[in-house]
Amino acid sequence: MQPDLTAPGVDILAAWTEASSVTGTEGDTRVVPYNIISGMSMSCPHASAAAAYIKSSHPTWSAAAIKSALMTTGNNQLNARMSVETNTDMELAYGACHIDTLKAVNPGLVYDAGEADYVKFLCGQGYSTKHLRLITGNNSTCSEAKHVTVWNLNYPSFAISTKSGMTCTLISTRTVSNVGPAVSTYKAVTAVPFIQIPRPEEDLHCHSLCNSR
């Protein structure tokens, strides 16, 4: 389910082409080298810079680990409009959170995934070997053994589809890797409106760096 997260993108001071007027509307003849702009084109550079900042601190981390760090450490309570308590649909607009780069450098746990994980995911989505190779650019193949359902991709978010008024039960598997202190204990806390998620009976105890569970 997209988007994954949101980044600063409202009223951003940015370079502006002098081939266009300030507003781009008829009759506006003003030409400026900079403008105040809003939109995804403004958010994208912030998200990219945040990922580069994390990569500079953790050069061995994969793209999936960096995305996980950003998605699991951000702030989704910046104001009432972004609060799931007062607006249950807003998560479809901002994703997991609003990025917090400083926190993302030390996420504690990450949901990591590599090329093989995404190959299995695409095979599970019904891709043929022919179409899979158009994406991977190598000799990857799809087989029944490689099929992974969308809800079991090791991703830092979950998506469940059901009809209005209907109920469903889904077991989804995730593996987390400890990138925090070597000896750590993590407690699971769930607070999701309209969904019942059983809390694990035991806390997660890590005894080494990069210990995966």
Side-chain angles (χ1 to χ4, degrees):
M1 183 174 67
Q2 299 294 319
D4 290 318
L5 43 73
T6 188
V10 178
D11 293 341
I12 304 300
L13 177 63
W16 187 254
T17 174
E18 295 186 31
S20 172
S21 65
V22 174
T23 62
T25 59
E26 186 178 355
D28 187 356
T29 58
R30 295 173 296 170
V31 177
V32 293
Y34 297 93
N35 204 349
I36 301 296
I37 317 168
S38 299
M40 287 188 294
S41 295
M42 298 298 100
S43 288
C44 184
H46 284 89
S48 300
Y53 177 74
I54 296 171
K55 186 71 172 179
S56 69
S57 297
H58 304 286
T60 62
W61 283 15
S62 67
I66 292 173
K67 177 182 282 189
S68 172
L70 287 169
M71 291 177 64
T72 58
T73 58
N75 189 339
N76 59 3
Q77 302 292 332
L78 289 180
N79 53 53
R81 289 178 298 174
M82 288 185 69
S83 171
V84 70
E85 300 295 333
T86 57
N87 192 334
T88 56
D89 293 332
M90 279 303 294
E91 287 179 321
L92 300 177
Y94 66 75
C97 61
H98 187 89
I99 61 172
D100 187 327
T101 310
L102 294 179
K103 288 183 179 179
V105 174
N106 297 295
L109 298 174
V110 294
Y111 299 83
D112 203 359
E115 180 182 345
D117 298 287
Y118 283 96
V119 166
K120 293 178 182 178
F121 163 72
L122 292 174
C123 291
Q125 289 295 96
Y127 278 64
S128 65
T129 295
K130 176 183 177 181
H131 291 114
L132 176 68
R133 290 179 177 177
L134 291 176
I135 296 175
T136 63
N138 56 32
N139 293 324
S140 298
T141 59
C142 277
S143 64
E144 288 296 327
K146 287 186 176 181
H147 286 196
V148 171
T149 55
V150 62
W151 53 82
N152 279 331
L153 176 65
N154 204 44
Y155 207 71
S157 66
F158 299 83
I160 302 174
S161 176
T162 185
K163 294 182 179 179
S164 177
M166 301 292 288
T167 60
C168 68
T169 300
L170 178 68
I171 298 177
S172 187
T173 303
R174 292 292 187 275
T175 299
V176 291
S177 300
N178 178 35
V179 295
V183 179
S184 306
T185 298
Y186 298 93
K187 298 179 183 291
V189 178
T190 60
V192 185
F194 316 119
I195 300 178
Q196 293 182 344
I197 303 178
R199 183 187 181 281
E201 296 181 0
E202 298 181 1
D203 295 332
L204 178 62
H205 300 281
C206 298
H207 303 288
S208 64
L209 193 64
C210 294
N211 178 223
S212 298
R213 298 284 294 276

